[in-house]
Amino acid sequence: MKRFVDVIIASIAVILLFPIFILVGYKVKKNLGSPIFFNQERPGKDGKLFKMIKFRSMKDAMDKEGNFLPDDQRITPFGHKLRSTTLDEMPQLINVLKGDMSIVGPRPQMKDFLEHYTADQMRRHEVKPGMTGLAQVSGRNNLSWEEKFGLDIEYVENQSIFLDFKIMLKTIKVMLAKEGINAPDQAVGAARFCNSKTSKGAESESKSTSL
């Protein structure tokens, strides 16, 4: 039933959002050049890697040694605006149609996270990752990593079609209000979580680190 709902909703969304899809693609090409998509390996169900698709929001700027500059030096005002609207996530509808993702589920994190999860946190991979999830409608980036993963496990243990539709409706509200988009935890990303040795240390660092 969940797969059936995913395909129906993703198909309808692709059709309805196609004009926006084309417009955003044009804007990305105009502001950042080609390619317009950014593909990155993320762990899916059972930890199996897949290529998650997003619209590009950063330039390919490099230093003299050929290494990419830090994200905050590569993202443009256009990229910030694109992320604030979450339109950069729209191509993940393709991942849903391919079966890599669901509309609702734990958000796919960086593959570096895999070796740092606790046994309990690894349970988030018992289901397919989602475009939105319980953590995204319960505080988004205002939450610590530990709180996010706790909500992911809560979703795994209580998943149902009813809960999925409830999360979808809440997602619309969160997107319109742009809640939690520019919170401190966002830019630190995987590095902060992977370097955390204890939950206490992670919580302390999340308070002292900012965008």
Side-chain angles (χ1 to χ4, degrees):
M1 177 62 73
K2 183 177 176 67
R3 177 60 183 158
F4 175 75
V5 172
D6 281 341
V7 172
I8 293 299
I9 292 179
S11 298
I12 293 173
V14 167
I15 293 171
L16 294 178
L17 297 174
F18 189 71
I20 299 176
F21 198 102
I22 296 299
L23 178 61
V24 174
Y26 168 76
K27 291 287 188 180
V28 171
K29 184 173 179 61
K30 180 180 179 181
N31 286 273
L32 300 172
S34 296
I36 63 172
F37 296 119
F38 170 72
N39 297 277
Q40 188 176 59
E41 284 191 328
R42 297 288 179 98
K45 190 176 185 298
D46 301 321
K48 183 179 178 180
L49 298 179
F50 71 97
K51 290 187 177 181
M52 189 177 75
I53 312 169
K54 300 176 71 173
F55 278 120
R56 280 180 64 201
S57 59
M58 294 190 293
K59 299 180 295 184
D60 291 332
M62 299 182 179
D63 59 23
K64 295 180 179 179
E65 298 178 353
N67 300 311
F68 282 113
L69 294 175
D71 289 0
D72 60 351
Q73 295 182 36
R74 293 194 293 134
I75 192 166
T76 64
F78 166 77
H80 272 297
K81 185 175 182 179
L82 186 61
R83 289 187 180 187
S84 71
T85 61
T86 67
L87 289 175
D88 61 318
E89 308 282 352
M90 196 163 46
Q92 287 162 40
L93 288 167
I94 298 172
N95 288 122
V96 174
L97 292 174
K98 289 174 60 181
D100 298 324
M101 296 176 63
S102 291
I103 297 295
V104 179
R107 281 293 297 165
Q109 302 294 343
M110 306 289 286
K111 61 182 180 181
D112 296 344
F113 279 47
L114 288 173
E115 59 184 297
H116 298 277
Y117 285 133
T118 64
D120 193 48
Q121 290 169 345
M122 275 296 294
R123 294 194 58 205
R124 68 194 307 278
H125 295 293
E126 291 178 9
V127 298
K128 289 182 182 179
M131 291 185 68
T132 185
L134 187 58
Q136 282 63 52
V137 299
S138 303
R140 209 172 181 179
N141 291 307
N142 289 317
L143 302 174
S144 69
W145 286 115
E146 292 71 29
E147 290 171 322
K148 291 179 185 178
F149 297 149
L151 287 166
D152 290 340
I153 304 308
E154 182 179 334
Y155 173 80
V156 170
E157 294 177 341
N158 298 282
Q159 60 179 311
S160 68
I161 294 298
F162 173 76
L163 179 58
D164 281 3
F165 277 107
K166 184 178 179 180
I167 291 172
M168 288 181 211
L169 291 174
K170 284 189 174 181
T171 298
I172 296 173
K173 176 179 177 294
V174 170
M175 288 177 64
L176 292 175
K178 299 183 181 179
E179 297 174 1
I181 292 177
N182 296 313
D185 227 10
Q186 186 178 28
V188 183
R192 187 195 66 77
F193 174 71
C194 294
N195 290 330
S196 299
K197 302 301 181 182
T198 64
S199 295
K200 182 178 180 181
E203 291 170 358
S204 174
E205 189 172 359
S206 69
K207 293 176 182 179
S208 61
T209 310
S210 60
L211 285 170

